[in-house]
């Protein structure tokens, strides 16, 4: 079977063609980074308008890459939760239109489950049950994943997502958007111990939540002082930028690693799967590898190309299809995080 997967939950317009044997026949990602760069973050209205312009050319390109005609498709899958409402709607409407025209089933994809499924795809073996850490621009969540479609939320950020903090701190340091890769690059020459930034909610292993807004504020205070917002007046030496970037990155990584290990202990699991844009971070990958090796935990981090948003991870649709989970045309978008999902 050939399945077209569509992903428009945030600011990447993506389409892929995968088979029910997990062969990837095509993958196209149209990034909107340049449209959002001057705002230092994703502007929802700009994102949905850009999706509208790009969705059909992106689907077209995916079909051409796969060497298929629309009639060769056996199903269409689309991420309908969580994400920006307007962005999700563009993908959903496109998917529904294709399903009606081609008379094929519609499959709903949970974007966070798909981020974890990227680990399953790369491992080419079963990775469940596992703790799933999803760490991206919009989400920072810890799930107990008993199967590819069975997720239960155990912890989440109570304010900003980790990626959001990377993007905002990069903007304070006048580093280009998206902030994650810029901070990582700057941090390579920095001292992670130069500044002692706060690690919120650490120390209590029963709490599996995260908080990054205080860390953001601590960086701001360090740079411009309390109550001041204007970064245009400050001039930082290259080494200072590197030191702030490295110290900030280390604080985020400390929290993500500590809470993931606490979640494994609490849930009595021995496998950790990590996905989402921030999972591309080299320091996070390095620290997770060290810590899981020390505790005999099996670690699966999505390969870099499948960390940031893409449609290949929508291959989780194959699992839904096998479980007989297809949708009616009244399928809607759900912007918020679903706390628990069951494949029945
Ligand atoms: O998963 P994703 O593409 O989109 C969402 O679903 O949000 O994640 C995007 C986020 C951005 O905040 C970006 O700065 C961050 O992932 N990111 C990184 C790295 N690469 C991307 N954060 C830290 N280090 C990186 N290397
Ligand atoms: Zn994502």
């Amino acid at each position: 079977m050939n399945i077209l997967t569509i992903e428009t939950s945030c600011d990447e317009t993506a389409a892929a063609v995968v088979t029910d044997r997990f062969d990837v026949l095509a993958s196209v990602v149209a990034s909107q980074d340049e449209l959002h760069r001057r705002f230092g973050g994703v502007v929802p209205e700009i994102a949905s308008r850009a999706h509208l312009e790009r969705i059909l050319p992106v689907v077209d390109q995916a079909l051409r890459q796969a060497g298929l005609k629309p009639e060769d498709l056996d199903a269409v899958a689309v991420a309908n939760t969580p994400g920006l409402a307007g962005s999700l709607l563009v993908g959903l409407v496109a998917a529904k239109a294709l399903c009606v025209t081609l008379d094929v089933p519609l499959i709903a994809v949970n974007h966070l489950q798909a981020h974890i499924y990227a680990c399953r795809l790369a491992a080419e073996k079963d990775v469940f049950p596992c703790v799933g850490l999803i760490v991206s621009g919009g989400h920072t969540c810890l799930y107990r994943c008993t199967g590819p479609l069975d997720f239960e939320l155990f912890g989440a950020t109570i304010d900003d997502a980790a990626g959001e903090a990377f993007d905002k701190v990069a903007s304070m340091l006048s580093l280009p958007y998206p902030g994650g890769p810029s901070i990582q690059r700057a941090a390579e020459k920095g001292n992670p111990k130069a500044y002692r930034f706060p690690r919120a909610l650490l120390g209590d292993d029963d709490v599996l939540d995260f908080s990054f807004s205080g860390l953001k504020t601590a960086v701001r205070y360090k740079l411009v002082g309390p109550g001041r917002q204007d970064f245009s007046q400050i001039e930082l030496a290259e080494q200072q930028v590197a030191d702030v970037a490295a110290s900030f990155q280390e604080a985020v990584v400390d929290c993500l690693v500590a809470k993931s290990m606490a979640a494994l202990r609490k849930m009595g699991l021995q496998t950790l799967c990590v996905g989402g844009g921030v999972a591309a971070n080299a320091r996070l990958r390095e620290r997770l590898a060290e810590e899981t090796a020390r505790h005999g935990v099996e670690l699966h981090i999505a390969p870099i190309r499948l960390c940031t948003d893409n449609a290949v991870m929508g291959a989780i649709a194959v699992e839904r299809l096998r479980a007989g989970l297809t949708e009616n045309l009244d399928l809607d978008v759900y912007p918020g995080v679903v706390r628990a999902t069951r494949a029945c």
Side-chain angles (χ1 to χ4, degrees):
M1 291 178 84
N2 299 314
I3 303 167
L4 174 74
T5 58
I6 293 176
E7 155 60 48
T8 61
S9 67
C10 189
D11 63 332
E12 260 90 31
T13 317
V17 181
V18 296
T19 70
D20 57 346
R21 297 167 63 178
F22 300 107
D23 300 313
V24 179
L25 305 184
S27 174
V28 179
V29 180
S31 160
Q32 300 180 9
D33 282 353
E34 79 284 359
L35 297 180
H36 302 286
R37 183 158 288 139
R38 74 187 170 103
F39 302 101
V42 176
V43 181
E45 191 55 35
I46 292 177
S48 39
R49 282 166 194 264
H51 283 310
L52 262 181
E53 287 167 10
R54 293 163 191 216
I55 187 68
L56 293 180
V58 164
V59 166
D60 219 37
Q61 198 182 334
L63 286 171
R64 265 185 283 124
Q65 218 179 68
L68 297 177
K69 295 194 282 298
E71 306 77 65
D72 299 323
L73 294 173
D74 300 292
V76 178
V78 63
N80 73 320
T81 184
L84 301 171
S87 291
L88 288 166
L89 268 172
V90 176
L92 180 62
V93 170
K96 284 183 182 177
L98 281 162
C99 287
V100 171
T101 333
L102 302 171
D103 193 22
V104 296
L106 174 66
I107 306 169
V109 166
N110 176 310
H111 177 76
L112 301 188
Q113 286 183 339
H115 269 306
I116 293 301
Y117 204 72
C119 298
R120 160 74 183 85
L121 288 172
E124 295 183 349
K125 65 168 190 153
D126 195 8
V127 294
F128 303 100
C130 67
V131 166
L133 169 69
I134 296 132
V135 61
S136 70
H139 303 100
T140 305
C141 306
L142 277 166
Y143 279 91
R144 184 214 300 265
C145 317
T146 37
L149 305 177
D150 294 333
F151 275 39
E152 193 181 346
L153 189 69
F154 265 73
T157 179
I158 57 170
D159 40 55
D160 296 328
E164 156 87 9
F166 268 96
D167 292 335
K168 291 298 177 289
V169 168
S171 154
M172 293 177 204
L173 294 171
S174 301
L175 296 171
Y177 177 85
S182 306
I183 295 258
Q184 178 180 318
R185 228 170 295 120
E188 280 165 17
K189 297 193 191 85
N191 173 8
K193 295 199 171 107
Y195 300 96
R196 182 72 200 166
F197 290 130
R199 276 90 169 137
L201 305 179
L202 279 200
D204 183 353
D205 273 8
D206 280 338
V207 178
L208 294 181
D209 291 330
F210 302 89
S211 167
F212 296 108
S213 75
L215 171 60
K216 239 172 43 178
T217 306
V219 175
R220 182 161 65 81
Y221 281 9
K222 184 58 67 187
L223 297 176
V224 293
R228 310 243 313 266
Q229 297 278 2
D230 188 8
F231 292 88
S232 60
Q233 303 301 319
I234 58 165
E235 280 199 19
L236 295 173
E238 202 179 318
Q239 190 56 47
Q240 253 177 314
V241 171
D243 286 344
V244 172
S247 303
F248 160 79
Q249 176 176 267
E250 203 65 14
V252 176
V253 168
D254 274 351
C255 296
L256 296 174
V257 172
K259 292 297 176 190
S260 299
M261 299 312 291
L264 286 157
R265 282 193 294 276
K266 189 164 180 165
M267 297 174 208
L269 292 170
Q270 280 301 313
T271 306
L272 175 65
C273 287
V274 188
V278 181
N281 185 269
R283 183 65 182 143
L284 176 63
R285 296 172 88 90
E286 180 181 49
R287 288 280 311 284
L288 282 171
E290 284 166 11
E291 213 48 37
T292 50
R294 206 192 328 273
H295 292 91
V297 168
E298 191 175 314
L299 173 67
H300 298 279
I301 312 184
I304 305 265
R305 78 197 139 79
L306 296 184
C307 282
T308 44
D309 288 346
N310 64 87
V312 172
M313 63 193 191
I316 193 174
V318 174
E319 303 280 354
R320 291 188 73 87
L321 205 52
R322 284 178 184 163
L325 297 170
T326 56
E327 309 299 326
N328 297 323
L329 288 178
D330 55 8
L331 180 70
D332 208 343
V333 298
Y334 301 97
V337 171
V338 179
R339 297 197 71 82
T341 59
R342 289 274 170 275
C344 55

